[in-house]
Amino acid sequence: MNQMKGAQSVYFNEPVKILSHAGAGGKMEGDGPLGKHLDLIVEDPMFGRENWEESESQFLKTAGEIALRKAKKKKEDVRMAFAGDLLGQLIGSSFGIRQMDIPFYGVYGACSSVGAALSVGAMAVDGGYADLALSACSSHFASAEKEFRFPLGYGSQRPYSATWTVTGAGAFLLNKEKGDTAIRGFTTGKIKDYGVQDPFNMGASMAPAAADTIYQALEDFGKKPEDFDKIITGDLGTVGQKLLFSLLGDNHVNISGNHMDCGMEIYNEKKQDIHAGGSGCACSALVLSAMILPKLASGEWKNVLFVPTGALLSQVSANEGRTIPAIAHALWLTKAEPDSQPQKKN
Amino acid sequence: MNQMKGAQSVYFNEPVKILSHAGAGGKMEGDGPLGKHLDLIVEDPMFGRENWEESESQFLKTAGEIALRKAKKKKEDVRMAFAGDLLGQLIGSSFGIRQMDIPFYGVYGACSSVGAALSVGAMAVDGGYADLALSACSSHFASAEKEFRFPLGYGSQRPYSATWTVTGAGAFLLNKEKGDTAIRGFTTGKIKDYGVQDPFNMGASMAPAAADTIYQALEDFGKKPEDFDKIITGDLGTVGQKLLFSLLGDNHVNISGNHMDCGMEIYNEKKQDIHAGGSGCACSALVLSAMILPKLASGEWKNVLFVPTGALLSQVSANEGRTIPAIAHALWLTKAEPDSQPQKKN
């Protein structure tokens, strides 16, 4: 049976299982509503390192190590790692993975990177190319501000449409055999560009990509929005959410009853001064590890469409006055059937 | 039968076929020894665009379109695209792919990106997740100098160990059914870091990664160097080649009889002032399209181990005085058997 579904999606005959996962965050993330569900909170934004970038790499490595420990696996057991981050040339990932000495492919989709890492990792596991894959990503408030906007030392003010880059990393171990939760399928996103040029308003640039991918996932899998307990976008924030509803509404799709946005869950909007919500690769990754997977594992939710979103800008493209293209990848996540046996191939 | 081989490699029961491929280069590349085998030479370094980065994206998009045209396919037929480049946040790829409107995952391995794009693309095709995958990458001399070293306007002098970033893009369409050449298997690289800090000497930083991956590929596939007509690294250049031989020699592996380096093939060392050779994602990609695949298709070579190499530095990591980690991915390439039938699953 062909595993391709519709125009852009893949359905696994046997869901790929999430063996273990870990989320490590900074102080702000620890103070937020999901703080108690994180595996590690590191109060020192430098994580004992010399600069923000090394700190971010340390978050990535540490999250990977916690996921391995929870699964009683060693780093030598990881057959392929897929990781990405927001920094130029993915130095957050490469300096973090370097210390683990495991086979590695960098993947990139800005804040949607966890979606890319999980989709490609799931293919690697399902196809029998990797018995254990690590999908991970990281971001760091300070390294991201330096990379995209202004170094913190400038003391620049942030407009209300700006999001706050999450500091931390999420790591997910994928395999065929064991796990409470699973990847049932995924939808590969296309790049969408509606001409937004304001790097302080990434929600608006990403909403069209999210709308496109959600619409396509529902089409490809033959589902209605209410077939999912939740449809969860990455980091559209309060500004992007309105636009998402409007764009899907134009296509007669209403997800307002079961939509959630990771960027609106990770911080306490009233108590924490984060403006339009959280963002960054670690935003979706931490909410996935600290909230979505636990609720699937407990049975509170049965099916989730997880749609991390990414704005594909760079400092260079922004300085050149170019628009901000965006992408979103969707993952259909479920509770794993305890009695399901992985399908034997040959 | 399990497709994992040894510690880090994958062997496809049915080789994944390269349906078509294309290489587009700039004037320097056109003037080099492979110029007559490129599909397109664009004399204008701006490719009619407003800046170097848009020019690079135009190279990527154009190479993809030529590959599609050669295969008589439309962009709508591409199920998944995997592309990467050297620019921060992969804007070379994302602004190029954006215009094609196809499902997309960014992949990154610096100048080894074509290896990552082909390996992941081959998994996607072999596993039945994509009937047609596009693997591509780009680089541009001017955008790379601006990204990593000094803007061209500064008129900085380059030391003799420096390589010249290739301007252009290579694109490869993968499928199960048709093609003159094929991917027999691949070896996923690990990040290696021997402490090199000089961004003008990337050959030295990449040689340990190339040595490690070549050693592992030979081990995993149970091959001797002479089983391959050529073992072809990406862009070690003259400086890195010596170190590669020495490192492999320490492990009693001698590849000096059949080693080739894309960086040493793409330009005419005597006539073109390029110092240590060519580099950049497009270096391996153009040599693959203009030389390696044609020689495999004609039967001149039967088996090639293609090992693109990448230095995982960024401007930020270099400015922080950090070392340059590197990675190399290996692909075992063959002439496709004309009578082989794709294996039916279910």
Side-chain angles (χ1 to χ4, degrees), chain A residues 319-333:
Chain A
N319 286 343
E320 289 170 351
R322 297 164 74 184
T323 56
I324 304 177
I327 198 161
H329 301 295
L331 287 137
W332 176 2
L333 303 172

Side-chain angles (χ1 to χ4, degrees), chain B residues 60-76:
Chain B
L60 185 83
K61 172 175 172 272
T62 305
E65 288 171 346
I66 296 172
L68 284 168
R69 200 182 314 140
K70 283 172 144 183
K72 297 191 176 66
K73 294 281 183 186
K74 294 175 192 161
K75 62 187 178 55
E76 294 78 12

Side-chain angles (χ1 to χ4, degrees), chain A residues 296-344:
Chain A
L296 284 167
S298 75
E300 183 177 340
W301 293 341
K302 300 239 169 345
N303 289 285
V304 161
L305 192 67
F306 174 63
V307 192
T309 40
L312 303 171
L313 83 167
S314 81
Q315 199 186 43
V316 172
S317 72
N319 286 343
E320 289 170 351
R322 297 164 74 184
T323 56
I324 304 177
I327 198 161
H329 301 295
L331 287 137
W332 176 2
L333 303 172
T334 62
K335 180 176 168 67
E337 296 296 326
D339 55 343
S340 77
Q341 292 296 320
Q343 192 183 37
K344 290 275 187 296

Side-chain angles (χ1 to χ4, degrees), chain A residues 2 7 10 12 16 71 97 115 121 234 271-272 299 305 308 324 326 341:
Chain A
N2 201 312
V10 164
F12 294 117
V16 173
I97 295 285
K271 290 188 191 160
Q272 294 180 297
L305 192 67
I324 304 177
Q341 292 296 320

Side-chain angles (χ1 to χ4, degrees), chain B residues 15-16 43 65 87 167 188 194 255 310 341:
Chain B
V16 172
E43 301 247 330
E65 288 171 346
L87 303 180
T167 298
T188 310
Y194 276 32
I255 64 162
Q341 292 296 319

Side-chain angles (χ1 to χ4, degrees), chain A residues 53 86 98 129 193 320, chain B residues 53 89 98 126 193 320:
Chain A
E53 293 79 16
L86 295 175
R98 175 189 63 163
Y129 316 115
D193 190 340
E320 289 170 351
Chain B
E53 292 79 16
Q89 291 75 43
R98 176 189 62 164
D126 181 68
D193 189 339
E320 289 171 350

